[in-house]
Amino acid sequence: MRVVVSVGGSVLVPTLDSPRIESYAETLREVVASGHELGVVVGGGPVAREYIGTARELGADEVSLDRLGIEVTRLNARLLGEALGDVAAAAPIEAVEDARAAFRRGEVPVLGGTAPGHTTDAVAAGVAEHADADLLVYATSVEGVFEADPSEDEAARKFDRLSPAELVEVVNQVELVAGSNAPVDLLAAKLIQRSGLRAAVLDGSDPQHVADAVAGDHDGTDVVPE
Ligand code: UTP
């Protein structure tokens, strides 16, 4: 199976901690060893937010802020690439097209952001679409897709299964509420919808959840094409 895993920055590097990155890498290497083709997209996490917040105070425009965020996601991708060792593509990957090329060479593309205007959620969906992946896994800091942002509404229920159209609808609703955050952004949801990708959104705090999802078993939200 060809799998793209999006690892949130808050999941991989809540703080800079080598054992945590190594443990993610070990699990991802096991996924490869069990015969799957793997691509990984890494987010920026708290460090990206700090850089963006500081630069915003300094008057930077939104594109410049996005560029800072991209730099941090790429630094995080490099850390994971180092931990993955020889299975990772040798050269840093910076574009969706290069990720597909790495898949074709039998390497694991590990990338961060690509261009201003979106997040690594959409990059992961773009990589999965372009490389015709069988599964896209979002390893996030929440347990799945909820009907409302669980950090804003404690009573919000988690969906076990959604169609891509329902995912777009839910993300749209959640993002309409000021301050709320969906675990997958709207552009990513729309890419999932148009490409008919199968996706899983789950709690990535334990990397084993990602391996379990690749094996078809997880407690998050399944997004299943109609
Ligand atoms: P993230 O993908 O980590 O954003 O990229 P996020 O979803 O806001 O962060 P988490 O998942 O909640 O931790 C960090 C920032 O980098 C820029 C955006 O500004 C984004 O908010 N970015 C990232 C881009 O502009 N383009 C990309 O392709 C990726």
Side-chain angles (χ1 to χ4, degrees):
M1 197 159 71
R2 186 171 277 189
V3 184
V4 174
V5 178
S6 167
V7 188
S10 339
V11 166
L12 187 71
V13 275
T15 58
L16 278 177
D17 175 42
S18 59
R20 175 151 193 83
I21 300 170
E22 179 48 42
S23 120
Y24 239 96
E26 195 181 332
T27 305
L28 294 176
R29 276 196 302 267
E30 281 164 19
V31 169
V32 175
S34 62
H36 300 291
E37 290 181 277
L38 177 71
V40 191
V41 180
V42 183
V47 175
R49 274 196 291 279
E50 276 190 50
Y51 266 89
I52 289 170
T54 306
R56 182 171 276 129
E57 286 166 16
L58 293 170
D61 65 276
E62 292 298 318
V63 172
S64 303
L65 297 178
D66 281 347
R67 292 237 173 260
L68 266 181
I70 292 169
E71 295 297 336
V72 177
T73 61
R74 287 179 174 169
L75 286 175
N76 290 341
R78 278 190 174 231
L79 283 177
L80 184 61
E82 291 298 337
L84 280 169
D86 284 348
V87 299
I93 305 283
E94 300 195 339
V96 164
E97 293 77 9
D98 298 336
R100 180 170 75 168
F103 267 118
R104 288 179 174 176
R105 291 194 301 272
E107 299 174 348
V108 174
V110 184
L111 64 161
T114 53
H118 53 246
T119 72
T120 50
D121 292 349
V123 173
V127 169
E129 181 177 42
H130 199 42
D132 196 20
D134 303 293
L135 178 66
L136 169 59
V137 179
Y138 285 98
T140 76
S141 49
V142 289
E143 283 161 28
V145 181
F146 286 70
E147 59 190 352
D149 184 344
S151 66
E152 303 279 316
D153 176 359
E154 276 181 20
R157 284 172 303 138
K158 177 172 71 68
F159 296 103
D160 292 331
R161 187 186 166 111
L162 289 171
S163 70
E166 288 168 335
L167 176 69
V168 169
E169 179 65 27
V170 172
V171 169
N172 216 354
Q173 288 305 316
V174 171
E175 305 242 306
L176 277 178
V177 179
S180 290
N181 252 320
V184 176
D185 69 26
L186 188 57
L187 179 56
K190 288 190 166 176
L191 291 175
I192 289 169
Q193 183 183 26
R194 83 168 181 188
S195 58
L197 279 164
R198 211 185 108 211
V201 182
L202 50 81
D203 168 16
S205 57
D206 179 349
Q208 189 55 41
H209 295 166
V210 172
D212 292 346
V214 174
D217 174 32
H218 68 89
D219 293 329
T221 301
D222 258 323
V223 183
V224 185
E226 280 144 318

mmCIF file of all heavy atoms in Angstrom, residues 35-52:
data_model
loop_
_atom_site.group_PDB
_atom_site.id
_atom_site.type_symbol
_atom_site.label_atom_id
_atom_site.label_comp_id
_atom_site.label_asym_id
_atom_site.label_seq_id
_atom_site.Cartn_x
_atom_site.Cartn_y
_atom_site.Cartn_z
ATOM 1 N N GLY A 35 6.491 -3.559 4.187
ATOM 2 C CA GLY A 35 6.202 -3.650 2.750
ATOM 3 C C GLY A 35 5.434 -2.476 2.170
ATOM 4 O O GLY A 35 5.076 -2.510 0.991
ATOM 5 N N HIS A 36 5.176 -1.438 2.978
ATOM 6 C CA HIS A 36 4.430 -0.291 2.461
ATOM 7 C C HIS A 36 5.365 0.772 1.888
ATOM 8 O O HIS A 36 6.501 0.913 2.334
ATOM 9 C CB HIS A 36 3.570 0.324 3.576
ATOM 10 C CG HIS A 36 2.567 -0.631 4.139
ATOM 11 N ND1 HIS A 36 1.484 -1.061 3.398
ATOM 12 C CD2 HIS A 36 2.502 -1.271 5.329
ATOM 13 C CE1 HIS A 36 0.780 -1.913 4.133
ATOM 14 N NE2 HIS A 36 1.377 -2.061 5.304
ATOM 15 N N GLU A 37 4.838 1.520 0.914
ATOM 16 C CA GLU A 37 5.557 2.698 0.418
ATOM 17 C C GLU A 37 5.065 3.878 1.240
ATOM 18 O O GLU A 37 3.852 4.057 1.407
ATOM 19 C CB GLU A 37 5.220 2.948 -1.040
ATOM 20 C CG GLU A 37 5.778 1.925 -2.003
ATOM 21 C CD GLU A 37 5.371 2.322 -3.412
ATOM 22 O OE1 GLU A 37 4.232 1.988 -3.787
ATOM 23 O OE2 GLU A 37 6.153 2.979 -4.096
ATOM 24 N N LEU A 38 6.002 4.684 1.710
ATOM 25 C CA LEU A 38 5.634 5.728 2.675
ATOM 26 C C LEU A 38 6.145 7.097 2.244
ATOM 27 O O LEU A 38 7.272 7.229 1.752
ATOM 28 C CB LEU A 38 6.262 5.348 4.030
ATOM 29 C CG LEU A 38 6.076 6.319 5.181
ATOM 30 C CD1 LEU A 38 4.624 6.316 5.658
ATOM 31 C CD2 LEU A 38 7.002 5.954 6.344
ATOM 32 N N GLY A 39 5.310 8.106 2.453
ATOM 33 C CA GLY A 39 5.736 9.500 2.332
ATOM 34 C C GLY A 39 5.321 10.215 3.610
ATOM 35 O O GLY A 39 4.300 9.856 4.205
ATOM 36 N N VAL A 40 6.125 11.179 4.057
ATOM 37 C CA VAL A 40 5.829 11.858 5.319
ATOM 38 C C VAL A 40 5.872 13.371 5.138
ATOM 39 O O VAL A 40 6.796 13.900 4.525
ATOM 40 C CB VAL A 40 6.845 11.462 6.427
ATOM 41 C CG1 VAL A 40 6.344 11.958 7.780
ATOM 42 C CG2 VAL A 40 7.088 9.974 6.464
ATOM 43 N N VAL A 41 4.862 14.039 5.678
ATOM 44 C CA VAL A 41 4.819 15.512 5.664
ATOM 45 C C VAL A 41 4.781 15.970 7.122
ATOM 46 O O VAL A 41 3.990 15.462 7.916
ATOM 47 C CB VAL A 41 3.583 16.018 4.897
ATOM 48 C CG1 VAL A 41 3.554 17.547 4.886
ATOM 49 C CG2 VAL A 41 3.585 15.480 3.465
ATOM 50 N N VAL A 42 5.670 16.904 7.454
ATOM 51 C CA VAL A 42 5.839 17.308 8.849
ATOM 52 C C VAL A 42 5.406 18.767 9.034
ATOM 53 O O VAL A 42 5.717 19.627 8.209
ATOM 54 C CB VAL A 42 7.324 17.138 9.269
ATOM 55 C CG1 VAL A 42 7.502 17.490 10.741
ATOM 56 C CG2 VAL A 42 7.800 15.717 8.999
ATOM 57 N N GLY A 43 4.700 19.037 10.124
ATOM 58 C CA GLY A 43 4.222 20.393 10.412
ATOM 59 C C GLY A 43 5.208 21.201 11.247
ATOM 60 O O GLY A 43 6.290 20.726 11.606
ATOM 61 N N GLY A 44 4.809 22.429 11.554
ATOM 62 C CA GLY A 44 5.727 23.365 12.197
ATOM 63 C C GLY A 44 5.658 23.393 13.715
ATOM 64 O O GLY A 44 6.655 23.679 14.378
ATOM 65 N N GLY A 45 4.484 23.104 14.273
ATOM 66 C CA GLY A 45 4.356 23.052 15.731
ATOM 67 C C GLY A 45 4.572 24.392 16.416
ATOM 68 O O GLY A 45 4.511 25.454 15.787
ATOM 69 N N PRO A 46 4.833 24.332 17.731
ATOM 70 C CA PRO A 46 4.941 25.562 18.515
ATOM 71 C C PRO A 46 6.065 26.491 18.059
ATOM 72 O O PRO A 46 5.934 27.708 18.162
ATOM 73 C CB PRO A 46 5.200 25.065 19.949
ATOM 74 C CG PRO A 46 5.204 23.595 19.917
ATOM 75 C CD PRO A 46 4.907 23.117 18.553
ATOM 76 N N VAL A 47 7.146 25.928 17.549
ATOM 77 C CA VAL A 47 8.257 26.793 17.113
ATOM 78 C C VAL A 47 7.808 27.672 15.942
ATOM 79 O O VAL A 47 8.082 28.875 15.906
ATOM 80 C CB VAL A 47 9.506 25.952 16.729
ATOM 81 C CG1 VAL A 47 10.603 26.856 16.174
ATOM 82 C CG2 VAL A 47 10.017 25.188 17.939
ATOM 83 N N ALA A 48 7.068 27.068 15.008
ATOM 84 C CA ALA A 48 6.554 27.856 13.872
ATOM 85 C C ALA A 48 5.641 28.960 14.391
ATOM 86 O O ALA A 48 5.730 30.109 13.953
ATOM 87 C CB ALA A 48 5.806 26.943 12.902
ATOM 88 N N ARG A 49 4.789 28.607 15.346
ATOM 89 C CA ARG A 49 3.858 29.622 15.869
ATOM 90 C C ARG A 49 4.619 30.768 16.544
ATOM 91 O O ARG A 49 4.268 31.935 16.390
ATOM 92 C CB ARG A 49 2.863 28.983 16.850
ATOM 93 C CG ARG A 49 1.649 28.390 16.116
ATOM 94 C CD ARG A 49 0.497 28.110 17.070
ATOM 95 N NE ARG A 49 0.819 27.003 17.963
ATOM 96 C CZ ARG A 49 0.718 25.724 17.616
ATOM 97 N NH1 ARG A 49 0.296 25.383 16.403
ATOM 98 N NH2 ARG A 49 1.031 24.775 18.474
ATOM 99 N N GLU A 50 5.702 30.415 17.263
ATOM 100 C CA GLU A 50 6.489 31.474 17.928
ATOM 101 C C GLU A 50 7.146 32.393 16.906
ATOM 102 O O GLU A 50 7.141 33.616 17.054
ATOM 103 C CB GLU A 50 7.571 30.843 18.811
ATOM 104 C CG GLU A 50 7.052 30.463 20.181
ATOM 105 C CD GLU A 50 8.182 30.075 21.118
ATOM 106 O OE1 GLU A 50 9.165 30.822 21.236
ATOM 107 O OE2 GLU A 50 8.071 28.980 21.705
ATOM 108 N N TYR A 51 7.727 31.806 15.874
ATOM 109 C CA TYR A 51 8.370 32.634 14.840
ATOM 110 C C TYR A 51 7.336 33.536 14.163
ATOM 111 O O TYR A 51 7.565 34.723 13.949
ATOM 112 C CB TYR A 51 9.043 31.750 13.787
ATOM 113 C CG TYR A 51 10.500 31.506 14.084
ATOM 114 C CD1 TYR A 51 10.900 30.432 14.867
ATOM 115 C CD2 TYR A 51 11.490 32.356 13.597
ATOM 116 C CE1 TYR A 51 12.234 30.203 15.164
ATOM 117 C CE2 TYR A 51 12.830 32.137 13.877
ATOM 118 C CZ TYR A 51 13.191 31.055 14.665
ATOM 119 O OH TYR A 51 14.512 30.852 14.952
ATOM 120 N N ILE A 52 6.188 32.917 13.829
ATOM 121 C CA ILE A 52 5.158 33.685 13.117
ATOM 122 C C ILE A 52 4.633 34.804 14.015
ATOM 123 O O ILE A 52 4.484 35.951 13.579
ATOM 124 C CB ILE A 52 4.033 32.733 12.638
ATOM 125 C CG1 ILE A 52 4.567 31.864 11.485
ATOM 126 C CG2 ILE A 52 2.793 33.513 12.209
ATOM 127 C CD1 ILE A 52 3.653 30.723 11.072
#
